[in-house]
Amino acid sequence: MTTPSNSAITDLDCEQRYDYFIDAVLEERELWILVNSEKQFLKIYAEEDNFEYVPLWPSAESAQNYASEDETLTPQKITLPEFMKKWVPGLTKDALAIGVFPGADGSIWHCEAKELEKDLKDELSF
């Protein structure tokens, strides 16, 4: 896959970024979170909608760009098998949603971990 610039990707709308995320994760077999110095992963509380979510990115670069103003956060890779086996059940148990690839305008695609897992598996079966 030809990788467009990070700013070109973050300027896409939520659905386009979601589709890009799915393709990139399946190609690289990894996704990225941000963690602090205690290795705690970033969770964001969406006050307006009253739920918590974990933002995910398709690359270390895109995660780092998001955290560029917070030097305490660093990208951490999660392999696709690890995400399916460990993270999906854990996020589901903890009732944490997923925010796929936040955009430059602050927009984000929210879904449940099981929904993302299903979309990844559906694409894997092609």
Side-chain angles (χ1 to χ4, degrees), residues 52-70:
E52 255 186 325
Y53 66 92
V54 176
L56 301 176
W57 292 269
S59 68
E61 177 191 11
S62 56
Q64 188 63 57
N65 285 341
Y66 180 86
S68 63
E69 296 187 19
D70 187 340

Side-chain angles (χ1 to χ4, degrees), residues 34-40 64 67 69-74:
L34 289 170
V35 297
N36 65 17
S37 58
E38 285 95 44
K39 299 295 183 197
Q40 297 167 321
Q64 188 63 57
E69 296 187 19
D70 187 340
E71 294 174 12
T72 65
L73 295 173
T74 57

